[in-house]
Amino acid sequence: MADALVSLRNLSRDFHSRAGLFGERRVLRAVNDVSLDIEQGQVTGVVGESGCGKSTLARLVLRLLDASGGQVTFDGTDLGKLPARRLRKLRQRMQMVFQDPYSAIDPRYSIREALLEPLQVQGIRLARGEAAAKVDKLMDVVGLSRKMAEAYPHQLSGGQKQRIGIARALILQPSFLVLDEPTASLDVSIQAQVINLLEGLKSEYGLTYLFISHDLGLVRYFCDRVVVMYLGRIVEIMPAKNATPRHPYTRTLLDSNFEPDPAKRRVVTRLSGEIPSAFDLPPGCAFAARCPRASDLCRRERPELTSSAPDRSAACHHPIEQQ
Amino acid sequence: MTLLSVRDLSITIGRMQPLDRISFDLAKGEILGVVGESGSGKSLTAMSVMGLLPLIRGRISSGQVLFDGRDLTRLKEKEYRALRGRRIALITQNPMTSLDPVLTVGSQIDQVARLHLGLAPAEAKARSIDLMQQLRIPEAKAVHDQYPHQLSGGMKQRIVIAMALAADPDLIIADEPTTALDVTIQAQIMQILVELVRDRGLALMLITHDMGVVAQTCDRVVVLYAGRVAESNTVADIFAAPQHPYTRALIGCIPREALQPGSLTGIPGMVPNVLDYPAGCRFHPRCALAQPVCAETVPPLAPAEGGLAACHFAGEIAPAKGVRHG
């Protein structure tokens, strides 16, 4: 197994709010006691539905948000203890690509200015010729015409903007990219182009990815490993390929996937119920209320994430038997 | 029996002609998938059938929309209004565009039945609650008196479906009804729609960009590209032997566990702008199989493999990668 580039230990993040203007204070634990190793050169996929904490996790990993508890280590450095200046310096090596390419780029910047902005933030000064060469190279790398660098964001399509988002993340030559649903707002045809590009970049520059998505089919295609989250916690970690789920929630996600083959039709899902509110979680397993395998034990005691093999673990009292 | 027959429908909006001779049929008890990328004309097709083009200053320039034998393109707005919501209902992508935030969800369902079927308030309410139960809304009586903001996205979409069903329509047009929802909720809603069609003998026109949803739910498929029909056929044949390279490419875009890394083909470029449609086959600039003739001559929609395809080389295309012959 490869070495961990990024390690998360017991990471948690709380958000506070009130129930109405004068209501009681409430705490929402968006990420709850998450421990995970992101291995060098691998694509780790985090999958889950809205409110599962996957986007909060993405921000915690880069310390764009401060954790309420726990630790993030990047290549041996504890991010939580770094002063702002050193953290900024380290950010050269870890970058993020956001879901919405429309809001990730300042509309007043030309593409060239947007691409060069991270260098300014880092206080890196380039000679004009050097900067131009860098922009040209990046445009080539992400498959856009060099002329497009003079355009403004509103002149670009969604797919082109997402390529710019990727180019901007690459300009500081990072080794680690957090990709937060980078294709969620794109057509499937454009999604395929962007995923192809990301595959190529990874092998060319030896990048490590943390890939956040709601699409288990896409994660199983693109990633090496799947991390499934439900209401702030990891419920299962498994290899992306040739593995069947042990956790009933992962099974449900898989069964909810619409397979593009009319010869393999089935009753899509028997799952009923919805995700409970993250504010007042039940004492036991958070999935118990929707789970066909739930017992009294599940409603009473929360199952810990335990491993059944070196590359897989699940948090379930009654895991699905493997054939 | 054919309920809806769209024949050579073309529309104009200003000097744009975003739909060009669209044709398809939809029978009772059948689900027709209308697929394509953004900008292919899916939603405009729905708006044409609903008679909503005047809202965007568009009009039907030629062709017919035959509904139950009647040509809807000749209807006056007043006549259309009696049809819309009563016999043809629309379900949109975002339930909040269909729901009034200051009225209880139940009263909004009641309204449809009162307006179109002339039911008394108490009758309408009982009927709404019954409908909500059929759509598996838990505690339907209590939910009837709640406001939209108190409900989750999946529940709101069920309310919109209940509103669509309230006047007992024959045709439902669903425009990306589950795109905004989480995957497990998406599966539940699609399951409900499919059961409705089967149990009530409704006709459903399902507009979607998701070939997975099409494969799992539709009977027949129309593939649109840049305002024209690229191909139409039964769902089994469309997936087993796509005749148009665009259909084949769309299927090749879907990520699956079984695919080898790097094998997600994608489609180069993007859907052209409506003011900038290329000559000949509109797909030819993105097509891997394009020949000189494709840039010159518009391929007619002609019979191929039991369906229709608009490609000069239909019948010469190998089946899509990774999809078995079914």
Side-chain angles (χ1 to χ4, degrees), chain A residues 48-50 157 160 186-193 195-196 199 214-215 217-218 220-221 240-243 249 252-253 255-269 271-275 290, chain B residues 37-38 152 154-155 182-188 190-191 198 209 211-219 235-236 239 250 253-257 259-270 286 323-324 326:
Chain A
E49 295 177 271
S50 23
S157 71
Q160 288 167 338
L186 304 176
D187 260 317
V188 277
S189 55
I190 311 298
Q191 163 173 288
Q193 292 175 9
I195 293 294
N196 262 334
E199 281 179 326
H214 67 279
D215 182 346
L218 177 59
R220 294 193 99 189
Y221 165 76
K241 309 271 195 287
N242 305 320
Y249 179 60
T252 302
L253 277 185
D255 287 347
S256 304
N257 203 29
F258 292 91
E259 201 174 342
D261 185 352
K264 283 194 235 161
R265 258 194 204 188
R266 55 193 158 75
V267 173
V268 177
T269 180
L271 184 80
S272 58
E274 302 208 350
I275 306 169
R290 303 172 79 192
Chain B
E37 293 166 273
S38 325
S152 69
M155 279 306 147
D182 266 317
V183 281
T184 56
I185 310 302
Q186 180 178 11
Q188 293 174 20
M190 279 320 303
Q191 190 72 37
R198 307 292 178 230
H209 67 280
M211 288 299 266
V213 170
V214 169
Q216 289 293 328
T217 60
C218 294
D219 301 304
V235 71
F239 279 87
L250 266 187
C253 288
I254 308 166
R256 272 158 294 165
E257 181 204 356
L259 288 181
Q260 289 302 307
S263 62
L264 211 55
T265 39
I267 309 175
M270 57 185 130
R286 304 174 76 189
V323 176
R324 295 175 312 176

Side-chain angles (χ1 to χ4, degrees), chain A residues 272-283:
Chain A
S272 58
E274 302 208 350
I275 306 169
S277 158
F279 278 108
D280 27 25
L281 285 178

Side-chain angles (χ1 to χ4, degrees), chain B residues 184-204:
Chain B
T184 56
I185 310 302
Q186 180 178 11
Q188 293 174 20
I189 298 284
M190 279 320 303
Q191 190 72 37
I192 287 172
L193 281 176
V194 170
E195 281 168 18
L196 283 172
V197 171
R198 307 292 178 230
D199 296 349
R200 298 177 168 226
L202 288 173
L204 175 64

Side-chain angles (χ1 to χ4, degrees), chain A residues 93-130:
Chain A
R93 297 187 52 203
M94 37 190 223
Q95 288 286 312
M96 182 141 172
V97 177
F98 294 91
Q99 169 178 350
D100 182 5
Y102 297 86
S103 55
I105 306 175
D106 190 324
R108 295 167 304 176
Y109 279 14
S110 72
I111 297 306
R112 173 182 307 283
E113 288 163 335
L115 287 178
L116 293 172
E117 191 189 15
L119 293 172
Q120 274 174 14
V121 172
Q122 291 289 344
I124 298 169
R125 292 196 181 175
L126 296 179
R128 192 174 294 171
E130 226 179 326

Side-chain angles (χ1 to χ4, degrees), chain A residues 32 34-36 44-49 52-54 57 210-217 219-220 225-240 243-254 287 305 312-315, chain B residues 183-184:
Chain A
N32 201 341
V34 164
S35 297
L36 178 70
T44 302
V46 176
V47 66
E49 295 177 271
C52 77
K54 55 191 193 299
L57 184 72
L210 180 66
F211 184 77
I212 313 283
S213 178
H214 67 279
D215 182 346
L216 189 54
V219 166
R220 294 193 99 189
R225 211 159 48 123
V226 186
V227 177
V228 183
M229 288 185 73
Y230 190 74
L231 283 171
R233 290 181 190 272
I234 294 178
V235 296
E236 180 154 21
I237 301 177
M238 64 184 229
T244 53
R246 296 181 70 234
H247 198 287
Y249 179 60
T250 314
R251 179 82 256 166
T252 302
L253 277 185
L254 206 61
F287 187 59
L305 191 67
R312 53 183 318 171
S313 38
Chain B
V183 281
T184 56

